[in-house]
Amino acid sequence: MATGSGGGGGGGGGGLASNLDGQEAASNSAQSGAVAALSNVPACAAAPPASPPVLGLHREPMYNWQATKSSLKERFAFLFNNELLSDVRFIVGKSRQAQRIPAHKFVLAAGSAVFDAMFNGGMATTSAEIELPDVEPAAFLSLLRFLYSDEVHIGPETVMTTLYTAKKYAVPALEGHCVEFLTKHLRADNAFMLLTQARLFDEPQLASLCLDTIDKSTADAINAEGFTDIDLDTLCAVLERDTLSIRENRLFGAVVRWAEAECYRQQLPPTSENKQKVLGKALPLIRFPLMTVEEFAAGPAQSGILFDREVVNLFLHFTVNPKPRVDYIDRPRCCLRGEECSINRFQQVESRWGYSGTSDRIRFNVSRRISIVGFGLYGSIHGPTDYQVNIQIIESDKRITLGQNDTGFSCDGTANTFRVMFKEPVEILPNVSYTACATLKGPDSHYGTKGLKKVIQESITGTKTTFLFFSSPGNNNGTSVEDGQIPEIIYYT
């Protein structure tokens, strides 16, 4: 695919009716940001595009020009942007930037259903000149060049307007080349800008790739200038994701920056009340319960964006048991891309298992690197109830706590296990000894028996992970390899 930078040209709104007219204004407003974000993208080697004709230019016919063109492609390429044999002209762009571009109805109708309807449909135009004030001249020339010769001439300056034009005139092959160009040059620092464009132009494949890039490099993406330029719906689409790789307090700081920028866009003073107002439906998507109490106290609690009662409830959620319910998501974000797996080390379930304030513990090691995201724990034998629990993973030899969470879970009185998750994945290395700990407060529960010393888990891709279990000495509530709590380990490969 030959690519190269197209020239500039006038933008605008209105003009030929199509399903993209409502997007044109938003596209033009984002164009300068797109050029800036893609400005260091090198243009691929290509023949320089032909200069668009100036208003009123007429080319004299060449006698026997056909003899110099050995293929159909060469003959049609020769007619591109040429007055010779042309039967329609387009006035493209607005005011002084407008250009008159000659074309051939047959070629355009053969390559575009929109042009076919324009020239041959029931309401076909009879005008010899057609005004297109909402299309960039450079983008329109890129479209015509593709229709005449299958050549693709796009670059950082023209890719967005060419994408718009390709969609407007229903040329999906050129649209695909534009998306491919954007995908090839997708980076963390332009992911949000391209995500906005992908949503605007309804390009789900590009949007998905942008979101994957944001997941993998969340901190770099939100620090880029394009983050504060996104619209509220795009912000919400990102905040809803479980796969962002960033601490929640840093994500909150970025959201506050976005709110300040949105206040300026709406010509509002950037007060706490106005920030809360412009955030609207995005604010409940911040997962405040995933912060530590210190992170919450240093940031959100002092921001003025939350109501006083919300601040109090969240402080109570962090510090007291039983924890009050809060109106914010407490599901951990996990940036892992592998398969979620779980192993159960017991073959049978019995009752009853009591709790006296000490922790249930089991030591283990694994055969390959994994990331543990939580445990499955047994619940009450007395029917539905709530438990308070502290879970931990400790590197046994160094006695270093690698991850922990003070939380709770509800059980339904069955012998099932119930998921209790860490706030962040805990990386586990092969052949290193770790201790899984769970300190429960609540009524007597079910427990596991006939425990296994070795559990081998095979993923759907055929990858095997081997767990070896050992009893943990010391202040243990009685859990061992053979019996007890902590039946399940939930992890990603």
Side-chain angles (χ1 to χ4, degrees), residues 39 43 97 307 333 366 389 393 420 465:
S39 59
Q97 284 74 40
F307 292 117
R333 300 189 194 269
V366 296
V389 60
I393 292 181
V420 181
T465 306

Side-chain angles (χ1 to χ4, degrees), residues 115-445:
F115 284 127
D116 190 18
M118 182 188 299
F119 301 133
N120 306 311
M123 300 181 66
T125 181
T126 58
S127 175
E129 287 194 343
I130 300 171
E131 294 186 0
L132 303 178
D134 62 321
V135 178
E136 290 273 5
F140 193 72
L141 284 168
S142 293
L143 174 71
L144 294 191
R145 184 186 295 275
F146 184 76
L147 294 179
Y148 279 79
S149 65
D150 284 337
E151 292 183 11
V152 180
H153 278 242
I154 52 177
E157 298 87 354
T158 59
V159 61
M160 291 301 181
T161 52
T162 302
L163 177 59
Y164 165 77
T165 307
K167 293 184 77 74
K168 181 179 179 71
Y169 293 103
V171 184
L174 180 57
E175 176 187 336
H177 285 298
C178 292
V179 172
E180 180 184 354
F181 181 93
L182 293 170
T183 301
K184 182 178 178 181
H185 300 101
L186 173 62
R187 308 180 306 271
D189 62 358
N190 64 17
F192 274 108
M193 182 279 298
L194 294 181
L195 176 61
T196 300
Q197 296 294 306
R199 288 167 60 86
L200 175 67
F201 290 125
D202 190 25
E203 291 289 346
Q205 179 185 6
L206 178 59
S208 178
L209 291 170
C210 290
L211 289 169
D212 285 345
T213 300
I214 292 167
D215 285 343
K216 295 172 185 176
S217 306
T218 309
D220 291 337
I222 66 172
N223 286 332
E225 291 183 7
F227 172 72
T228 56
D229 295 330
I230 63 177
D231 59 86
L232 179 61
D233 287 340
T234 301
L235 177 66
C236 290
V238 172
L239 294 180
E240 287 171 348
R241 296 179 68 77
D242 291 333
T243 45
L244 300 179
S245 54
I246 191 171
R247 292 287 303 175
E248 206 70 18
N249 63 313
R250 292 189 64 189
L251 186 61
F252 174 78
V255 170
V256 171
R257 284 184 13 247
W258 180 92
E260 291 172 351
E262 183 65 13
C263 284
Y264 286 117
R265 281 191 288 270
Q266 297 188 23
Q267 298 182 332
L268 297 171
T271 63
S272 298
E273 293 78 10
N274 285 335
K275 292 176 190 176
Q276 183 186 69
K277 176 183 176 182
V278 299
L279 282 170
K281 61 184 179 181
L283 189 58
L285 300 178
I286 301 293
R287 304 184 186 186
F288 296 104
L290 300 185
M291 300 180 187
T292 66
V293 63
E294 293 81 9
E295 289 170 343
F296 179 75
Q302 300 182 46
S303 68
I305 292 178
L306 297 174
F307 292 117
D308 290 344
R309 58 179 172 78
E310 293 176 308
V311 173
V312 171
N313 282 343
L314 282 163
F315 269 124
L316 291 175
H317 176 82
F318 289 126
T319 56
V320 304
N321 288 309
K323 298 182 183 298
R325 290 193 175 276
V326 292
D327 296 328
Y328 295 96
I329 303 169
D330 60 0
R331 184 175 63 252
R333 300 189 194 269
C334 178
C335 62
L336 304 174
R337 287 294 184 284
E339 173 192 357
E340 182 180 297
C341 304
S342 65
I343 56 102
N344 192 319
R345 63 190 189 90
F346 293 122
Q347 302 177 80
Q348 188 172 316
V349 181
E350 300 286 351
S351 61
R352 94 188 28 222
W353 196 262
Y355 302 98
S356 59
T358 56
S359 62
D360 287 279
R361 298 175 175 231
I362 189 71
R363 292 175 61 200
F364 67 94
N365 61 37
V366 296
S367 61
R368 61 193 302 269
R369 183 193 299 256
I370 63 172
S371 293
I372 292 178
V373 295
F375 300 147
L377 301 179
Y378 290 121
S380 173
I381 60 175
H382 301 295
T385 190
D386 294 332
Y387 282 87
Q388 297 301 313
V389 60
N390 172 274
I391 57 173
Q392 297 182 51
I393 292 181
I394 299 170
E395 188 174 338
S396 304
D397 296 336
K398 296 181 180 179
R399 298 182 181 180
I400 298 174
T401 300
L402 303 178
Q404 67 172 336
N405 192 16
D406 283 300
T407 184
F409 69 94
S410 298
C411 66
D412 57 10
T414 68
N416 296 328
T417 58
F418 301 90
R419 291 163 66 98
V420 181
M421 310 300 283
F422 291 99
K423 292 184 177 182
E424 293 184 327
V426 181
E427 184 180 52
I428 302 298
L429 301 178
N431 304 315
V432 177
S433 178
Y434 299 92
T435 302
C437 307
T439 307
L440 282 80
K441 293 182 181 179
D444 292 350
S445 74

